[in-house]
């Protein structure tokens, strides 16, 4: 019988065949949790589930978020589904 080592992520019980993947997944979930907390603090009435989904969206797509912060805001547009319409903000806010 063969024994296969598996790593379990504490946050969501995901299983991985190597530690590197497990650590990367755990860091992704931790970042998502921090984004979620930030959103919940800034928008107190936000739905908890929606805040969590948004936090994970930002964490999973952190490279686009980084690009947007470095002066390429159009990188965020890649995250918006085609069927979703996002209202444009006016210059006055």
């Amino acid at each position: 019988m063969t024994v296969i080592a598996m790593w379990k992520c504490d946050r969501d019980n995901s299983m991985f065949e190597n530690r590197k993947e497990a650590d990367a997944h755990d860091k992704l979930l931790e970042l998502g949790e921090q984004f979620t907390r930030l959103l919940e603090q800034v928008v107190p009435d936000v739905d908890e589930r929606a805040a969590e989904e948004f936090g994970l969206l930002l964490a999973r797509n952190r490279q686009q978020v980084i690009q947007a912060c470095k002066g390429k805001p159009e990188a965020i547009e890649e995250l918006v589904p085609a069927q979703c319409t996002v209202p444009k903000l006016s210059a006055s806010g």
Side-chain angles (χ1 to χ4, degrees), residues 35-65:
F35 280 134
T36 299
R37 285 184 189 162
L38 176 64
L39 181 59
E40 289 173 336
Q41 290 174 0
V42 173
V43 185
D45 295 333
V46 70
D47 177 69
E48 183 179 336
R49 181 72 187 140
E52 184 177 309
E53 287 179 23
F54 188 69
L56 287 173
L57 172 78
L58 292 177
R60 286 186 184 116
N61 296 283
R62 63 186 172 273
Q63 292 306 318
Q64 285 93 335
V65 173

Side-chain angles (χ1 to χ4, degrees), residues 9 12 17 21 33 37 42 44 46 52 61 67 84-85 89:
C9 180
D12 68 353
E17 292 184 11
E21 288 178 10
E33 186 177 312
R37 285 184 189 162
V42 173
V46 70
E52 184 177 309
N61 296 283
Q67 287 178 1
C84 180
T85 57
L89 295 176

